[in-house]
Amino acid sequence: MRMLINVPETVVADALRGMAAAHPELTVDVERRVVVRRDAPVEGKVALVSGGGSGHEPLHGGFVGPGMLAAACPGEVFTSPVPDQMVRAAAAVDSGAGVLFVVKNYTGDVLNFEMAAELAEDEGIQVAKVLVDDDVAVTDSLYTAGRRGTGGTLFVEKIAGAAAEEGQPLERVEAIARRVNERSRSFGVALSACTTPAKGSPTFDLPEGELELGIGIHGEPGRERRAMMTSREIADFAVDAVVEDLRPDGPVIALVNGMGATPLLELYGFNAEVQRVLAERHVPVARTLVGNYVTSLDMAGCSVTLCEVDEELLRLWDAPVQTPALRWGR
Amino acid sequence: MRMLINVPETVVADALRGMAAAHPELTVDVERRVVVRRDAPVEGKVALVSGGGSGHEPLHGGFVGPGMLAAACPGEVFTSPVPDQMVRAAAAVDSGAGVLFVVKNYTGDVLNFEMAAELAEDEGIQVAKVLVDDDVAVTDSLYTAGRRGTGGTLFVEKIAGAAAEEGQPLERVEAIARRVNERSRSFGVALSACTTPAKGSPTFDLPEGELELGIGIHGEPGRERRAMMTSREIADFAVDAVVEDLRPDGPVIALVNGMGATPLLELYGFNAEVQRVLAERHVPVARTLVGNYVTSLDMAGCSVTLCEVDEELLRLWDAPVQTPALRWGR
């Protein structure tokens, strides 16, 4: 076990204490596990709340701040947060304009956010929900009925978060979030398994010299296992899988995402191949983001997410954002 | 070999092509290996140029942009760039106000930047140099006479870059860079070795269940090898090593840096322990930065860098910066 931890039981609480110390612009309730932008609730504005199992950092806590999430609820590693966290987060950020729950499509998350929405509505908070299910690799898997929610979450949170920041009403913010999800597709590849603190050993067996195509962000099985491929071959496979499903007419934003342990040097090289395939498929690229954004602990590997954008979605993507992990504009 | 690459020979060129595609705000000369901010040269302003072996990304290319570096020269993996790259970079960014070379203390880098400075001066460019040697772990090592340059490089490039952006003259920018280096100290810990593309296997042998205290950013040996320690114990050891050498009177900026493959979840947890030790040692912390900034390919581990700041250095740290890896303010 090559982990920088104390004991598995305190990993999430320890991380939240460290996050609080590094980010005075956030309010971190370590005990109740809620991360909130310090100026919340923001008068007259819709608030986005998301959350999910820990181990995917910077998702979601690193996306809290002006222009993106109002709050995030981290669960235990690879485990859904509980409804109580979500209700607390909603209550902390609701200005009366309503709250949008951004939910990745995993059975536990879906059930808990549903329950939380009911409880929050009982408290007089208007709640809408959007389900993110962008992963084209498989339908139904270890923790999911339907497609899994992965890299597309970043697009939903950034673009709908910008709409909320502009002061758009809840039904508009919800519609934009849905549109972003409908236009986003992802495909992931693992070069190694990841190790959870609780287990202390790799969550699945991926021998040296093999890779798993279509991996989920918890190491759920993908489409197939193959002998090691080059960056060029992986890009061909992953981008084709996404483009064939999305069939974009217009420009896309590309997220070339690292799973956690793949060096940025390699991710940039992989991006060159992704851009090559997109050019060959005549898909224009409006913006590109390269880095570790939706991770899977110490997994080596990458994913490609494309989001087809119109003028409005691109404008909202470019709008200012001030969070620990994504920041631009003002 | 679990690498996302084509062939080892093209890793750096591939990464530069991918970087060019992701960052239209930079001019990337893939063939000549120079990354330049697009608006360079900036009239009347000193320009910072740095560089070094690849494999430490986002250092240095990810630090090119307004408020930090004007240009970066990436060498082969863990290999110094050549003088020709540095001269080209200097010529591309010099507005007549002069160029400051930021050089990490490795024998190859030092010699090549010295030669480049002479060549650039022959071309009529005024050049100053600052040597970064912040690593307290060991004196003299595999590639270095004296202390190694590691995490402190980020502080030198950010703070002196801000002084240059303000329009301060070369001798002032140089003096500030020197002051930052004199006040910066680092200590690194490896939980695993890293694998270079050319070698294809770990660069040194670190058995499971052991760690190396005082590691360099190329896997150079450190102070000692021990049985695995907790995050709390590692923070005690690393922060003590830094504080005992630095003996700060005033507040510090803390960089809690990942070596590449350590999950952000663990880095934030480690930061909580770093802050605890600093509080116990009565060292006030003005700012904290947590993330993968000065990496060592896919090495698991972390480093702590402290920079003791006065009012001026803290103001320059807070000044706006717009680079791929560091951005805030406007």
Side-chain angles (χ1 to χ4, degrees):
Chain A
M1 194 165 82
R2 301 182 187 274
M3 284 183 189
L4 185 61
I5 64 171
N6 286 318
V7 292
E9 293 71 22
T10 64
V11 163
V12 175
D14 289 348
L16 288 174
R17 285 189 297 124
M19 201 174 190
H23 299 292
E25 73 278 17
L26 303 177
T27 304
V28 181
D29 186 333
V30 176
E31 204 183 326
R32 290 158 174 168
R33 304 201 174 181
V34 182
V35 179
V36 181
R37 58 184 271 193
R38 189 167 284 285
D39 61 353
V42 183
E43 192 55 37
K45 291 187 182 174
V46 169
L48 268 68
V49 172
S50 192
S54 292
H56 307 299
E57 290 67 27
L59 180 84
H60 298 271
F63 298 152
V64 174
M68 211 161 167
L69 296 180
C73 314
E76 279 300 311
V77 171
F78 293 176
T79 304
S80 173
V82 295
D84 193 42
Q85 287 171 271
M86 301 157 183
V87 176
R88 232 178 254 283
V93 299
D94 181 39
S95 69
V99 171
L100 177 68
F101 283 166
V102 180
V103 187
K104 299 198 301 303
N105 189 30
Y106 299 97
T107 309
D109 297 62
V110 172
L111 292 174
N112 286 330
F113 269 108
E114 250 163 42
M115 190 176 300
E118 284 171 27
L119 292 169
E121 276 163 0
D122 289 348
E123 293 186 17
I125 301 170
Q126 198 189 349
V127 178
K129 290 194 305 290
V130 60
L131 197 69
V132 184
D133 59 351
D134 56 306
D135 187 348
V136 304
V138 294
T139 329
D140 303 335
S141 80
L142 219 47
Y143 310 108
T144 328
R147 287 180 165 187
R148 301 175 296 215
T150 59
T153 316
L154 182 148
F155 289 126
V156 173
E157 295 180 355
K158 169 64 185 81
I159 294 173
E165 197 72 36
E166 281 188 355
Q168 299 204 33
L170 184 57
E171 57 276 16
R172 279 287 301 151
V173 175
E174 181 190 357
I176 286 170
R178 258 181 235 294
R179 199 156 102 232
V180 174
N181 180 57
E182 281 160 14
R183 294 171 175 215
S184 295
R185 300 288 190 285
S186 296
F187 192 91
V189 176
L191 308 186
S192 80
C194 56
T195 299
T196 59
K199 188 155 185 288
S201 61
T203 52
F204 63 103
D205 181 51
L206 184 56
E208 181 92 23
E210 293 186 19
L211 51 72
E212 177 93 23
L213 294 163
I215 196 82
I217 54 174
H218 312 88
E220 310 93 313
R223 282 192 189 174
E224 55 180 305
R225 193 164 286 194
R226 286 203 190 172
M228 191 58 200
M229 294 158 67
T230 62
S231 169
R232 161 174 281 267
E233 292 164 340
I234 294 172
D236 280 325
F237 196 101
V239 175
D240 276 353
V242 167
V243 169
E244 272 163 32
D245 202 283
L246 180 62
R247 301 196 170 278
D249 290 324
V252 300
I253 308 175
L255 167 63
V256 174
N257 175 62
M259 290 298 197
T262 288
L264 196 51
L265 183 73
E266 296 178 23
L267 284 181
Y268 273 120
F270 181 62
N271 180 47
E273 298 297 343
V274 168
Q275 303 286 331
R276 172 190 55 78
V277 188
L278 289 170
E280 286 169 8
R281 304 286 175 278
H282 309 290
V283 179
V285 181
R287 304 285 183 274
T288 301
L289 186 66
V290 178
N292 291 288
Y293 292 104
V294 182
T295 64
S296 196
L297 290 170
D298 62 341
M299 186 186 284
C302 58
S303 64
V304 176
T305 304
L306 299 181
C307 175
E308 185 183 358
V309 288
D310 52 29
E311 219 169 278
E312 181 183 32
L313 299 188
L314 189 58
R315 180 180 61 74
L316 292 168
W317 173 260
D318 286 339
V321 60
Q322 300 293 331
T323 71
L326 270 197
R327 43 174 69 219
W328 56 70
R330 160 72 59 197
Chain B
M1 193 164 83
R2 302 182 186 276
M3 284 184 192
L4 185 61
I5 64 171
N6 287 318
V7 292
E9 292 72 22
T10 64
V11 162
V12 175
D14 290 348
L16 288 174
R17 286 189 297 124
M19 199 174 191
H23 300 291
E25 74 277 17
L26 302 177
T27 303
V28 180
D29 185 333
V30 176
E31 203 184 325
R32 290 159 173 167
R33 305 203 172 177
V34 181
V35 180
V36 180
R37 58 183 274 193
R38 189 167 283 285
D39 60 353
V42 184
E43 192 54 38
K45 291 186 183 175
V46 169
L48 268 67
V49 173
S50 192
S54 292
H56 307 299
E57 290 67 26
L59 181 84
H60 299 267
F63 298 152
V64 174
M68 211 161 167
L69 295 180
C73 314
E76 280 300 312
V77 171
F78 292 175
T79 304
S80 174
V82 295
D84 193 43
Q85 287 171 272
M86 301 156 184
V87 176
R88 233 178 253 285
V93 299
D94 181 38
S95 69
V99 171
L100 178 67
F101 283 166
V102 179
V103 187
K104 301 200 298 304
N105 190 29
Y106 298 98
T107 309
D109 296 62
V110 171
L111 291 175
N112 287 330
F113 269 108
E114 250 164 42
M115 190 177 302
E118 284 171 27
L119 293 168
E121 277 165 359
D122 288 348
E123 292 187 18
I125 302 169
Q126 198 189 349
V127 178
K129 292 194 304 289
V130 60
L131 197 69
V132 184
D133 58 351
D134 56 306
D135 187 347
V136 304
V138 293
T139 327
D140 303 334
S141 80
L142 220 47
Y143 309 110
T144 328
R147 289 180 164 186
R148 302 175 296 216
T150 59
T153 316
L154 183 147
F155 289 127
V156 172
E157 295 180 356
K158 169 65 185 81
I159 294 174
E165 197 73 35
E166 281 188 357
Q168 300 203 33
L170 184 58
E171 58 276 15
R172 279 287 301 151
V173 175
E174 181 191 357
I176 286 169
R178 257 182 235 292
R179 199 156 101 230
V180 173
N181 180 57
E182 280 159 14
R183 292 170 176 217
S184 295
R185 299 288 190 285
S186 295
F187 192 91
V189 176
L191 308 185
S192 79
C194 57
T195 299
T196 59
K199 188 156 185 289
S201 60
T203 51
F204 63 103
D205 182 51
L206 184 58
E208 183 93 21
E210 294 186 18
L211 51 72
E212 176 95 21
L213 294 164
I215 197 82
I217 56 175
H218 311 88
E220 310 94 311
R223 282 192 192 176
E224 56 179 307
R225 193 164 284 193
R226 285 203 190 172
M228 192 59 200
M229 293 158 69
T230 63
S231 169
R232 161 176 281 266
E233 292 164 339
I234 294 172
D236 280 326
F237 197 101
V239 175
D240 276 354
V242 167
V243 168
E244 271 163 33
D245 202 282
L246 181 61
R247 302 196 169 279
D249 290 324
V252 299
I253 309 175
L255 166 63
V256 174
N257 175 62
M259 289 299 196
T262 288
L264 196 52
L265 182 73
E266 295 177 23
L267 284 182
Y268 273 121
F270 181 61
N271 180 46
E273 298 297 344
V274 168
Q275 303 286 330
R276 172 191 56 76
V277 187
L278 288 170
E280 287 170 7
R281 302 287 176 277
H282 309 292
V283 179
V285 181
R287 303 286 182 274
T288 301
L289 186 67
V290 179
N292 291 289
Y293 292 102
V294 181
T295 64
S296 196
L297 291 169
D298 62 341
M299 186 185 284
C302 58
S303 64
V304 176
T305 304
L306 300 182
C307 176
E308 185 183 359
V309 288
D310 51 30
E311 220 169 277
E312 181 182 34
L313 298 189
L314 188 59
R315 180 180 62 74
L316 292 169
W317 173 260
D318 286 340
V321 60
Q322 301 293 331
T323 72
L326 269 197
R327 44 174 68 218
W328 56 70
R330 160 69 61 197

